[in-house]
Amino acid sequence: MNFSEKIIDWYLKNKRELPWRETKDPYAIWLSEIILQQTRVVQGLDYYCRFLEAFPTIFDLAKATEEEVLKLWQGLGYYSRARNMHAAAREIVTTYGGMFPDNYSAIRSLKGVGDYTAAAISSFAFGLPYPVMDGNVIRVIARYFGIVAYCDKAEGKSQIKKALNAVFDIKHPAEFNQAIMEFGALQCIPVNPSCSTCILKENCVAFEKAMVKELPVKSSKTIIKPRYFHYLIIHDGDEIIIKQRGAGDIWQGLYEFPLIETSSETTPDEVMKHPDWKYLKGKHSWNILKIQSGVRHILSHRILHVTFYEIAGKIYRLPFGAKKIKKDNLQDYAVPVLIEKYLKQN
Ligand code: SF4
């Protein structure tokens, strides 16, 4: 059996029963594909059924008000999907008399329909030979052919497309597309795929070369931004000041020392002139015991450049949410690893 025969055979034995797989109605298929763009099958199923019940045809959707459409979409998120579908339904009614267009380029030109959705509708509803390329398909192809180029860059995409075209089943486009997507969703999954029981393992390059974990390769899109933290460890006799971090930023709910954050690298002299420093110090005189700068702490999207200031003195005004505690009790509070490390070393 070749690739396509194997994967279609696997699909027929393993596929999940889903209502949009039982229909050739392009409107229902379109709806399912739009819902599944950003929603998991389990959650999407319910919306799919309710939407079709409320708007059984393109005419019904076109006639509906935007409020009615959005109300039904409520909870699914990414509301532009619903608005685009609504606009496209009206376009289908006015331009095509309510008949869903039956060729790829007309389908692709509908509002909110990209390459993937156009290929899916073209093949599932009209049996047209357009291979779909979603995340599941890319993973299967990159692993099976051992494609090491970045799959989210032009070169990698073109290699995947070429390889996909080489195994694509022109005579059974709908079955092939359903099969390879389902195979990626159930068998060749992102983490720990079941290679030992896989029907493709004999010719799978990633399996043969033990590269399954590494493929597909994505270019790092994560931009690591620097942040500049200055922690003031204020010793007031046997007490110290701590503050709990709020929502909407890193380390929510953890405790830290009073923090001055600057937008760029700042010298201790400049930090001591900072309004927050003045706010904390007020009229008191502070004795700077120690300054430790150059501490780096890496988080997933951030690199923190940190300076710790050990200060003996009284605090003039407690920052909002801060409190004084006995130094001995500091260990009872959850602090970020950065602070835990500092305390251990000092
Ligand atoms: S052998 Fe493993 S990596 Fe290769 S196609 Fe099968 S599940 Fe995917």
Side-chain angles (χ1 to χ4, degrees), residues 2-41:
N2 63 23
F3 181 100
S4 166
E5 288 162 348
K6 277 188 195 168
I7 213 158
I8 292 175
D9 182 59
W10 174 93
Y11 174 68
L12 295 174
K13 290 173 185 152
N14 295 281
K15 69 173 177 173
R16 292 167 289 181
E17 300 294 335
L18 297 167
W20 46 84
R21 288 187 175 152
E22 311 302 321
T23 179
K24 290 276 174 206
D25 176 5
Y27 168 61
I29 290 167
W30 173 43
L31 173 65
S32 72
E33 290 302 331
I34 298 293
I35 288 177
L36 294 178
Q37 276 171 11
Q38 266 112 357
T39 307
R40 284 173 302 118
V41 168

Side-chain angles (χ1 to χ4, degrees), residues 19-20 27 31 35 42-56 68-76:
W20 46 84
Y27 168 61
L31 173 65
I35 288 177
V42 184
Q43 192 199 1
L45 195 52
D46 190 34
Y47 280 88
Y48 171 84
C49 297
R50 281 197 283 127
F51 207 89
L52 276 188
E53 210 178 294
F55 310 123
E68 287 170 329
V69 176
L70 293 180
K71 184 75 195 157
L72 264 180
W73 206 264
Q74 193 172 294
L76 265 184

Side-chain angles (χ1 to χ4, degrees), residues 140 143-144 183 187-188 193-195 198 200-201 204 206-207 212:
V140 173
R143 286 175 174 169
Y144 185 79
F183 190 78
Q187 173 83 33
C188 192
S194 323
C195 297
C198 177
L200 298 179
K201 72 175 177 197
C204 174
F207 181 62
V212 176

Side-chain angles (χ1 to χ4, degrees), residues 5 47 51 85 87 102 119 135 140 204 234 239 257 292 299 306 340:
E5 288 162 348
Y47 280 88
F51 207 89
M85 265 198 90
D102 61 1
V140 173
C204 174
I234 305 164
E239 291 185 314
F257 303 113
Q292 184 169 327
L299 301 167
V306 188
E340 190 188 348

